[in-house]
Amino acid sequence: DVQLQASGGGLVQPGGSLRLSCEASGLAFDAYTIGWFRQAPGKERVGVSCISTSEGRTNYADSVKGRFTISRDNRRNTVYLQMDRLTPEDTAVYYCAAVFDYSGSPSCPPGGMGYWGKGTLVTVSS
C-alpha cells in the first residue's frame, strides 16, 4: 500500500519557523511529483508548493513565496517544507500528496493527485 506520512506540525509563534516532512512508502518515490497543500478552518484545501522529480523543479503559492522552501531527498523517500516567517494566516492542516511525474514539471493539481497523506496541524499564534 502507498502511504504518505506528514509530520512536523505544531504550535509556533508569529515570525517563527517549522519544518514539515512527508515520508512516502509503497511507491517508486523518485518517479513522483510531491505537493504540499493546506486547509485552514472553514476554507477549502489549497496548494502551497510542489516539487517535481526532474531536477527538483519547484513552484509556490504567491502567499508563501520567499518564506517557504520545498526540497526532497530521494534516498530517504522524503519531501520537506521549510516554513519561515510564519504568520497566523499560515495556520492550517498541512497535507502532502503524490502524483506520477509524466512531464517533469512541478504540477500538483489538487484534483489530480493520486495519493494523499493524513495532515499535520500547524498553528501560528502568540
Side-chain angles (χ1 to χ4, degrees):
D1 289 352
V2 175
Q3 292 191 355
L4 298 172
Q5 181 64 53
S7 62
L11 174 64
V12 62
Q13 292 187 342
S17 298
L18 280 176
R19 188 176 81 156
L20 305 184
S21 299
C22 174
E23 184 174 2
S25 61
L27 51 71
F29 183 75
D30 58 1
Y32 281 77
T33 291
I34 307 295
W36 283 100
F37 301 79
R38 68 186 182 186
Q39 187 167 19
K43 296 187 177 180
E44 65 180 22
R45 189 177 302 184
V46 296
V48 175
S49 184
C50 185
I51 186 166
S52 71
T53 62
S54 176
E55 300 177 356
R57 282 184 282 175
T58 61
N59 66 31
Y60 297 90
D62 287 343
S63 59
V64 307
K65 280 181 182 176
R67 300 189 299 121
F68 289 12
T69 304
I70 191 171
S71 62
R72 67 188 295 157
D73 184 343
N74 288 342
R75 295 170 302 172
R76 292 183 168 83
N77 284 7
T78 301
V79 167
Y80 304 98
L81 186 68
Q82 176 66 39
M83 306 187 296
D84 298 318
R85 304 202 310 273
L86 286 160
T87 74
E89 288 68 37
D90 296 315
T91 294
V93 177
Y94 285 71
Y95 301 87
C96 60
V99 62
F100 189 82
D101 187 353
Y102 290 98
S103 67
S105 64
S107 176
C108 293
M113 303 304 286
Y115 303 101
W116 288 85
K118 294 181 180 179
T120 185
L121 176 63
V122 172
T123 303
V124 185
S125 175
S126 55

